[in-house]
Amino acid sequence: MPDKEWDRPENLPLPVPDEDSLMFWQGLSDGKLLLQTCIECGTKNYPPVSMCCQQFNFEWEDAQGTGSIFSYVVTQQPVHPALKGHTPFLTVIVQLDEGPRITSNLVDGNPENIEIGSRVELHLVELSDEVTLPLFKLCSD
Amino acid sequence: MSFMNSVAVVGVGETDYSTESGRSELVLSLQAINAALKDAGIGHDEVDGLLRWSVDTSSEATVAANLGLSNLSWFGEINQAGNVGAALVANAAAAIHAGLANVVVIYRGVNGRSGRRYGRGDVTGRSGRGSAAFTEPFGMLTPQHGLAMTTRRRMHETGVSSRDFGMVAVCEREHANRNPRATFFEKTLSIEQHQESRVIVDPFHLFDCCLETDGGGALVLTSVERARERDGHVAMIRAAAQSGYSVRNFIDTAAVGLAPNLWERAKITPSDISVAQIYDHFAPFVLFALEDYGFVRRGEGGDFVSAKEISWDGGSLPVNTSGGHLSEAYMQGMNQLIESVRQARGESTAQVSDAQFSFVDTGIGTGAVIFERGE
């Protein structure tokens, strides 16, 4: 279920949807992580692209929402003003089980015990009517 | 129609490097150009081409007006970020080879510390627009964030450690200690100091991160025939190549794609290179570039660097011999192009003997130049 509780640094930029990514962001607002899939080659593009295989037609497939940590960084010094007062700050790349690698955050992420390969599941965080972020949390088992 | 060894860098120039230049980016550019033309022994009135980094603020028209150029007939800029130095050299060489220009100046002047700071995302930040909608909202806000991701993954895959890439910083510092122009000319660095330095964006320690610098630099390119009028060795452009960012897998660098093209054009192999300058915005990328260009095999970079093979003092392939971006100055490739030319001409403060082929990467595989020493 969407969650409004995650303590997000208030000055982090918000995503600005455009024509090519609107489906993705609308999907999140509707509670789904949609992967843009080329109907020609089947590639699941993340972020969405404008053209694949010289055509502009895509299917949007519902992702399972499970994956594992592919890499991560911990911002220890506030190298950007938006992170002032919010360090250490954890950013992860999740490799979804469908393949795409997604830059995200863990709502329950403790930088101390995170590992490459840790299993995670999707956890949507609704910031407004327009913007819901695809965040993740560690699987309990 | 290759320009191999038909065009040379005949002049190099730079300003002092500081954290507070107290002058405009335009003045820094002009001072560097004056120095480069003086070094080349070529008059301002002979310059008919100008080329620059799009991300800089001094336009060709403004620079031409201040230089008093009456013959400017070819000019342009290349856009991406700080990484287009080799692309500029490739395009200038092509223009000279094709007869579109006779003397081309490539220039830049940046207040990279007192003005717009790359390290804070001042130049590359996009406020959540375009593809940044998928990165910046999650705290990927500066160049180092994405590069730290790749570093972490390669540490996981190849076993390379922070101590390994700390030796990049140590070797470069030793080179800077020989170079009076370098920001850290008088400050030494040990591996212990590197390991104890504060973590900025984990896994990067402070001394893995490049400097932020105010300064200017310029190159003068012309035909090899004309370049021979200057005394000393000639820095001939053996080959140059550029590539777009196509690598988004957080493992490889763009050198994986660029290297075959570069070596094919140059008709030599990595083992022919005597000395290399490699874009060191962050220390581990020197090691990754060595692997992805084929100087060593994937996974061997850590041992290579830990054995100080990149040191001027006894290493088999001295790297970043002026101190690089970590210890000389961060001019986004310009100071490394200058150092690469100096090596080919035999004029470095950490000169490698018999430097027949001098290699410079200007953005971890997004562009590279190989200079050959000519008489």
Side-chain angles (χ1 to χ4, degrees), chain B residues 333-346:
Chain B
M334 176 55 98
N335 53 316
Q336 296 190 314
L337 282 161
I338 290 172
E339 174 65 9
S340 194
V341 169
R342 286 197 170 114
Q343 285 287 354
R345 300 200 310 200

Side-chain angles (χ1 to χ4, degrees), chain B residues 268-325:
Chain B
I268 59 173
T269 66
S271 62
D272 295 312
I273 300 295
S274 314
V275 56
Q277 314 303 320
I278 294 173
Y279 199 96
D280 51 340
H281 38 15
F282 299 97
F285 280 81
V286 169
L287 194 156
F288 302 155
L290 287 169
E291 294 179 348
D292 290 0
Y293 274 109
F295 290 102
V296 296
R297 281 195 284 269
R298 178 73 63 95
E300 292 179 352
D303 288 345
F304 188 78
V305 168
S306 285
K308 297 192 80 171
E309 293 292 349
I310 64 166
S311 171
W312 172 78
D313 186 12
S316 58
L317 180 69
V319 173
N320 292 347
T321 46
S322 67
H325 292 146

Side-chain angles (χ1 to χ4, degrees), chain A:
Chain A
M1 288 299 292
D3 176 3
K4 293 184 181 179
E5 299 306 308
W6 188 60
D7 183 25
R8 183 174 187 272
E10 61 275 16
N11 291 324
L12 277 179
L14 291 170
V16 181
D18 58 27
E19 291 86 341
D20 294 330
S21 66
L22 198 57
M23 282 289 286
F24 175 80
W25 297 108
Q26 280 184 346
L28 290 172
S29 291
D30 296 340
K32 294 182 217 169
L33 177 62
L34 297 178
L35 296 177
Q36 185 200 50
T37 307
C38 175
I39 59 172
E40 190 72 27
C41 70
T43 299
K44 293 172 172 53
N45 294 296
Y46 189 90
V49 297
S50 302
M51 183 173 89
C52 191
C53 297
Q54 299 175 31
Q55 55 83 30
F56 301 87
N57 299 316
F58 299 95
E59 288 173 343
W60 292 84
E61 291 185 4
D62 212 346
Q64 297 171 57
T66 53
S68 53
I69 300 293
F70 185 80
S71 191
Y72 64 97
V73 300
V74 186
T75 305
Q76 296 284 0
Q77 299 289 325
V79 292
H80 187 281
L83 296 178
K84 200 163 283 183
H86 296 276
T87 54
F89 186 80
L90 175 67
T91 303
V92 299
I93 291 175
V94 171
Q95 176 147 18
L96 294 177
D97 290 337
E98 290 89 348
R101 293 171 191 165
I102 292 190
T103 301
S104 185
N105 303 118
L106 298 185
V107 287
D108 55 354
N110 178 356
E112 297 293 313
N113 55 22
I114 181 111
E115 282 180 13
I116 286 177
S118 296
R119 293 292 295 168
V120 295
E121 61 189 22
L122 185 67
H123 185 89
L124 297 179
V125 172
E126 182 183 318
L127 299 181
S128 67
D129 288 347
E130 290 78 35
V131 176
T132 295
L133 294 180
L135 304 190
F136 289 83
K137 63 179 182 182
L138 292 166
C139 292
S140 39
D141 45 318

